[in-house]
């Protein structure tokens, strides 16, 4: 059995706002193995971005990790001293964002931005950093990397900007890439190119990618495994094939049933009737029970835990609890 | 290439502005009910003396002719003669302008080196101790009356601690034994290039209190302006991305964020600079600083119009130039800004 590179267990994140405590993550658990793409899917506001930021130790205030752990190569990074966490960020774990135009600093050239990152993590001179920057741009399929180094972000197209982001993320040899909706802001053909690039990086570099998306078409095409997030809680996780063919959780079933036709691919998930619970006031028991067609008494009282239903396929639902328990 | 074209165009425009200002001030000076000829002659003049002065000053000629003479002199670098002191104004300016510029520049440097870091750090530590502290500093520095602060500083640093001199640009000892050779008129510069170290030290200690007194208002503005733009910039996605790339907080704040946030602060500083050229009168009086503010104030009291016009023109030139520099700096800082 391979060792996971990243292993998240029962992660809980609260935002302490004026309105009260927002329960953003309520027990997120998943593993990310070397050289795989794990899709993290769920409706808007379910905590995908917060999960991604947590892997880099970047939960914005007033957010706070209140429970659980995140292990990178066995080491719990939540307890790392800030300096070591900073070395990990960009050095081993990197992140790219939905809107590359906003994620690149408008007043520095592409080269300056990449070099700043490379020189932060590796001791090297200006010249070497520049050569390395050009090299990493070439490796993400950027034509004329030397010229691109001297351009400003606004002079590039959206797809190029995202390539620059990926280049920057990988410029220090990151092993894990958190990609938060990396293609949502791009048009469809560019979207496909960026996804191809990610798959390519996985194959050639053995990069592990947490691909955050609400586009199930993207998941089907690129991900090895999928984790389904609902109200800050992982309800189902397993190999992409298993999830698409024999999904177990009522929420996942609803999600997938909501894609009636390939043409609806790319629409945001609006799957199941009802609304996502308010993070300020979570329902007791199974978080999904107010919307679940199968809910019964036990669902209203007891929170289900993830249980293995098939090889590598786990579901958190009382329907699949062992016969004896049920 | 485009940049030079732009600068040239702006400079031509500047000449027009300066011309316009000269016309306006000149004619305002002539419609105000006061008689330059009488002022020129001095107290209790006889009618003959006034008539003679009128001819000497060219006041007997039509107004537009007077203006063309004035303009002709101006183009030759002659700003005229003070009606009150009968001194060439250019000579006065050569003494007062460097004194003021030196004071204001040192003051602005203080605003930059105190105000910007405080603004940046209070944005970064929003609503924490440093932020509250710097808010207090900012509010105090824009609301404390200048004369009161000046006197207070004199009381503390001269009266109690005996650390700094109370007034003037240099002490009498320096003037007598280590006289400063005037090259630029900026004492700090002149003493440096002539390697007159004791005089440099002396000039430096003299400028600290008045420059700080002058700078307090600008420091307060700089803190608040920097903080508010930085707060906005720090919420940008590229800041999160920079953190995600593991860059240090110092690099993020003072390099990546500040470059995006600096322009409004520079604008505030530029305006303070221009304002201080003539607005530093209180500071100049309290610290006996021989500057433009005192010069123009006494000119106003004496209705000494050639001086008022000349100082107005000088300030206009600075205003126009500073704005040009500000625009160019903006282009250098932000590639998305296009010159129009
Ligand atoms: N700065 C914040 N302050 C308060 N609550 C927050 C903050 N950021 C996130 N949250 C809470 O955390 C929850 C999860 O947010 P998150 O951004 O992770 O959602 P998401 O799944 O990425 O949604 P989307 O698909 O819209 O990007 C939200 O419902 C919100 O209530
Ligand atoms: S635990 Fe109960 S409420 Fe929750 S998904 Fe399963 S059946 Fe539905
Ligand atoms: Mg999100």
């Amino acid at each position: 059995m391979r060792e996971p590179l990243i292993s998240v267990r029962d992660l809980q994140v609260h935002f302490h706002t004026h309105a009260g405590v927002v329960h953003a993550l309520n027990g997120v658990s998943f593993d990310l193995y070397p050289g795989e793409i794990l899709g993290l899917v769920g409706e808007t506001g379910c905590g995908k971005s917060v999960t991604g930021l947590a892997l880099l130790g970047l939960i914005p205030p007033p957010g706070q990790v209140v429970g659980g752990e995140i292990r990178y190569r066995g080491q719990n990074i939540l307890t790392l001293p800030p300096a070591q966490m900073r070395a990990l960020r960009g050095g081993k774990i990197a992140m790219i964002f939905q809107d590359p135009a906003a994620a690149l600093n408008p007043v520095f050239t592409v080269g300056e931005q990449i070099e700043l990152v490379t020189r932060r993590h590796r001791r090297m001179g200006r010249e070497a950093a520049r050569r390395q920057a050009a090299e990493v741009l070439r490796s993400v399929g950027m034509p004329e990397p030397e010229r691109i180094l001297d351009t400003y972000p606004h002079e590039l197209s959206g797809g190029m900007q995202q390539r620059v982001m990926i280049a920057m993320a990988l410029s220090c040899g990151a092993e894990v890439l958190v990609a938060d909706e990396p293609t949502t802001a791009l048009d469809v053909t560019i979207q496909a190119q960026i996804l191809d690039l990610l798959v390519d990086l996985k194959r050639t570099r053995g990069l592990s990618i947490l691909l955050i998306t609400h586009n199930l078409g993207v998941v089907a095409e690129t991900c090895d495994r999928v984790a389904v997030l609902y109200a800050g809680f992982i309800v189902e996780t397993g190999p992409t094939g298993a999830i698409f063919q024999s999904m177990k959780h009522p929420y996942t079933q609803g999600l997938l049933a909501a894609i009636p036709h390939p043409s609806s691919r790319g629409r945001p998930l609006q799957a199941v009737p009802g609304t996502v619970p308010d993070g300020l006031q979570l329902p007791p028991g199974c978080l999904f029970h107010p919307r679940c067609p199968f809910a019964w008494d036990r669902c209203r009282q007891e929170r289900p835990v993830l249980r293995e239903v098939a090889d590598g396929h786990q579901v958190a639902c009382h329907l699949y609890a062992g016969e004896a328990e049920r | 290439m485009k940049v030079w074209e732009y600068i040239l165009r702006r400079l031509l425009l500047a000449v027009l502005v300066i011309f316009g200002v000269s016309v306006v001030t000149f004619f305002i000076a002539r419609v105000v009910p006061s008689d330059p000829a009488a002022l020129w002659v001095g107290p209790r003049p006889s009618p003959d003396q006034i008539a003679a002065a009128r001819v000497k000053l060219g006041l007997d000629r039509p107004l537009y002719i007077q203006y063309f003479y004035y303009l002709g002199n101006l183009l030759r670098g002659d700003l005229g003669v003070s009606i009150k002191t009968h001194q060439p104004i250019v000579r006065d300016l050569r003494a007062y302008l460097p004194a003021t510029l030196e004071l204001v520049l040192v003051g602005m440097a203080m605003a930059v080196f105190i105000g910007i870091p405080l603004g940046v750090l209070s944005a970064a530590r929003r609503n924490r101790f440093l932020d509250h502290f710097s808010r207090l500093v900012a509010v105090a520095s824009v609301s404390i009356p200048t004369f009161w602060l000046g006197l207070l500083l004199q009381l503390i640093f001269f009266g109690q601690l005996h650390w700094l001199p109370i007034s003037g640009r240099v002490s009498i000892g320096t003037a007598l034994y280590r006289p400063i050779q005037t090259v630029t008129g900026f004492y700090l510069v002149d003493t440096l290039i002539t390697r007159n170290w004791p005089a440099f030290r002396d000039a430096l200690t003299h400028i600290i209190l008045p420059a700080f007194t002058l700078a307090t208002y600008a420091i307060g503005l700089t803190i608040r302006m920097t903080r508010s733009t930085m707060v906005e910039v720090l919420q940008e996605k590229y800041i999160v991305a920079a953190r995600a790339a593991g860059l240090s907080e110092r690099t993020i704040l003072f390099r990546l964020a500040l470059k995006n946030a600096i322009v409004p602060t520079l604008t505030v500083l530029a305006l303070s600079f221009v304002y201080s050229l003539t607005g530093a009168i209180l500071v100049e009086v309290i610290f006996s600083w021989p500057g433009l503010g005192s010069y123009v104030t006494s000119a106003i009291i004496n209705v000494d119009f050639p001086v008022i016009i000349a100082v107005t023109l000088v300030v206009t030139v600075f205003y126009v130039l500073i704005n040009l520099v500000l625009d160019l700096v903006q282009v250098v800082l932000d590639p998305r800004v296009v010159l129009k």
Side-chain angles (χ1 to χ4, degrees):
Chain A
M1 188 65 202
R2 289 176 306 168
E3 284 294 312
L5 208 49
I6 297 251
S7 175
V8 180
R9 286 294 170 273
D10 196 31
L11 186 64
Q12 293 165 39
V13 171
H14 289 178
F15 284 88
H16 300 270
T17 66
H18 290 298
V21 178
V22 177
H23 299 249
L25 299 188
N26 307 294
V28 169
S29 304
F30 62 84
D31 291 319
L32 181 64
Y33 290 94
E36 74 163 352
I37 301 183
L38 173 66
L40 186 61
V41 297
E43 286 163 292
T44 180
C46 70
K48 302 185 295 293
S49 296
V50 171
T51 304
L53 289 168
L55 294 194
L56 287 103
L58 285 178
I59 305 275
Q64 224 180 347
V65 175
V66 293
E69 53 187 35
I70 301 173
R71 291 189 176 276
Y72 165 74
R73 293 186 176 279
Q75 159 89 276
N76 186 1
I77 62 174
L78 294 176
T79 55
L80 279 185
Q84 280 183 43
M85 189 64 226
R86 200 154 8 95
L88 214 55
R89 283 203 284 269
K92 296 294 178 203
I93 308 175
M95 185 159 181
I96 60 174
F97 300 88
Q98 170 168 349
D99 183 2
L104 287 165
N105 197 316
V107 302
F108 290 89
T109 64
V110 166
E112 285 169 334
Q113 298 189 50
I114 298 179
E115 285 160 33
L116 215 50
V117 179
T118 41
R119 295 183 66 184
R120 161 74 183 84
H121 291 282
R122 293 177 188 179
R123 296 169 158 272
M124 60 169 83
R126 272 259 156 73
E127 270 306 302
R130 191 179 161 85
R131 247 178 289 122
Q132 163 126 9
E135 197 43 55
V136 72
L137 277 179
R138 187 170 300 119
S139 75
V140 297
M142 193 70 112
E144 297 181 80
E146 301 285 348
R147 188 181 63 80
I148 299 294
L149 285 180
D150 294 321
T151 60
Y152 286 93
H154 73 280
E155 298 168 312
L156 302 174
S157 69
M160 300 262 254
Q161 288 169 339
Q162 195 58 289
R163 278 178 204 269
V164 170
M165 279 305 295
I166 295 172
M168 205 182 328
L170 301 181
S171 62
C172 291
E175 297 177 321
V176 178
L177 181 67
V178 177
D180 190 353
E181 316 239 12
T183 59
T184 312
L186 308 175
D187 64 43
V188 183
T189 45
I190 307 298
Q191 205 170 348
Q193 289 172 14
I194 296 292
L195 291 173
D196 285 349
L197 173 64
L198 291 180
V199 172
D200 204 48
L201 289 169
K202 174 192 82 167
R203 292 218 184 95
T204 56
R205 292 196 177 210
L207 188 67
S208 304
I209 302 173
L210 180 68
L211 182 62
I212 294 172
T213 177
H214 49 230
N215 185 329
L216 291 168
V218 167
V219 171
E221 278 165 33
T222 51
C223 296
D224 302 299
R225 292 189 310 120
V226 188
V228 182
L229 196 56
Y230 180 80
F233 183 73
I234 300 282
V235 294
E236 183 161 10
T237 171
T240 308
I243 296 287
F244 276 82
Q245 274 136 40
S246 56
M247 57 285 185
K248 296 283 189 268
H249 198 279
Y251 176 65
T252 319
Q253 289 171 348
L255 273 188
L256 291 168
I259 352 178
H261 197 265
S263 66
S264 73
R265 245 178 55 184
R267 295 225 191 111
L269 296 181
Q270 214 330 331
V272 190
T275 53
V276 190
D278 181 358
L280 284 168
Q281 232 179 345
L282 291 175
C286 173
L287 295 173
F288 188 58
H289 87 248
R291 295 166 81 183
C292 180
F294 309 107
W296 77 96
D297 290 346
R298 184 176 174 190
C299 305
R300 292 181 196 100
Q301 285 144 21
E302 186 188 334
R303 174 104 28 114
V305 294
L306 279 172
R307 280 195 191 80
E308 191 114 348
V309 290
D311 194 21
H313 185 175
Q314 297 174 314
V315 181
C317 170
H318 293 314
L319 289 172
Y320 306 96
E323 287 303 321
E325 274 183 70
R326 201 161 149 195
Chain B
M1 275 308 70
K2 258 199 80 200
V3 176
W4 289 113
E5 211 177 280
Y6 177 79
I7 294 177
L8 200 68
R9 204 144 32 90
R10 283 289 299 266
L11 286 177
L12 286 177
L13 198 69
V15 171
L16 277 183
V17 169
I18 291 162
F19 173 76
V21 168
S22 79
V23 172
V24 171
T25 46
F26 185 86
F27 285 97
I28 288 178
R30 289 300 184 271
V31 296
V32 169
S34 88
D35 186 357
L39 284 168
W40 173 270
V41 179
R44 299 186 182 282
S46 71
D48 288 354
Q49 284 174 312
I50 293 185
R54 194 173 295 282
V55 174
K56 182 173 163 51
L57 296 175
L59 295 171
D60 53 339
R61 281 175 265 195
L63 206 53
Y64 69 93
I65 301 283
Q66 289 181 34
Y67 179 74
F68 279 113
Y69 272 103
Y70 178 78
L71 195 63
N73 287 338
L74 195 62
L75 292 178
R76 270 179 274 121
D78 181 1
L79 287 165
V81 174
S82 160
I83 294 180
K84 180 80 183 167
T85 65
H86 300 198
Q87 293 285 329
I89 295 171
V90 170
R91 209 166 74 190
D92 289 345
L93 283 181
R94 217 174 280 150
Y96 295 127
L97 186 60
T100 287
L101 279 179
E102 186 167 46
L103 181 67
V104 175
L105 284 173
V106 171
M108 291 301 124
M110 288 177 175
V112 166
F113 288 108
I114 299 172
I116 291 180
L118 266 184
V120 168
L121 292 176
S122 49
R125 315 212 195 310
R126 196 138 65 105
N127 294 329
R128 305 235 295 273
F129 174 77
L130 186 82
D131 188 24
H132 296 310
F133 173 75
S134 91
R135 179 176 296 126
L136 196 73
V137 170
V139 170
S141 67
V142 295
S143 48
I144 288 179
T146 304
F147 69 90
W148 188 79
L149 179 69
L151 294 175
L152 185 73
L153 291 174
Q154 286 179 332
L155 203 65
I156 297 173
F157 290 96
F158 175 76
Q160 294 294 316
L161 300 170
H162 307 292
W163 285 356
L164 295 170
I166 188 164
S167 66
R169 290 184 78 186
V170 287
S171 52
I172 296 171
T174 298
L176 285 179
Y177 303 115
R178 302 297 305 252
I180 296 171
Q181 294 169 33
T182 309
V183 185
T184 60
F186 292 79
Y187 283 4
L188 292 177
V189 178
D190 291 349
T191 51
L192 267 186
I193 53 185
T194 58
R195 293 165 194 272
N196 189 349
W197 305 124
F200 176 77
R201 228 189 84 98
D202 192 41
L204 191 63
T205 53
H206 275 82
I207 207 168
I208 291 176
L209 287 188
F212 184 77
T213 309
L214 180 64
T216 38
Y217 193 82
I219 290 174
L221 283 185
T222 306
I223 293 175
R224 296 312 288 170
M225 185 54 87
T226 308
R227 180 191 181 275
S228 73
T229 36
M230 278 293 288
V231 162
E232 263 172 55
V233 168
L234 287 178
Q235 313 205 329
E236 294 285 346
K237 202 88 208 190
Y238 54 76
I239 298 299
V240 182
R243 293 219 169 89
L247 296 176
S248 70
E249 211 49 29
R250 202 175 62 192
T251 306
I252 291 172
L253 290 179
F254 287 95
R255 221 166 136 183
L256 298 175
L258 190 55
K259 195 175 175 191
N260 282 278
I262 197 77
V263 167
T265 302
L266 292 182
T267 309
V268 164
L269 283 169
L271 290 178
S272 310
F273 176 88
V274 175
Y275 172 79
S276 302
L277 289 181
T278 55
I281 167 74
L282 278 176
V283 175
E284 291 178 5
V285 168
I286 295 167
F287 291 94
S288 312
W289 195 268
L292 220 50
S294 334
Y295 183 54
V296 77
T297 306
S298 75
I300 289 170
I301 292 167
N302 295 314
V303 211
D304 191 345
F305 269 110
V307 172
I308 298 175
I309 298 174
V311 173
T312 308
L313 286 181
V314 167
V315 173
T316 307
V317 168
F318 273 100
Y319 182 78
V320 167
L321 285 182
I322 288 240
N323 270 302
L324 177 58
V325 169
L326 205 57
D327 284 356
L328 294 175
V329 164
Q330 212 168 333
V331 172
V332 171
L333 288 178
D334 190 342
R336 293 166 302 176
V337 173
V338 277
L339 298 171
K340 289 193 298 275

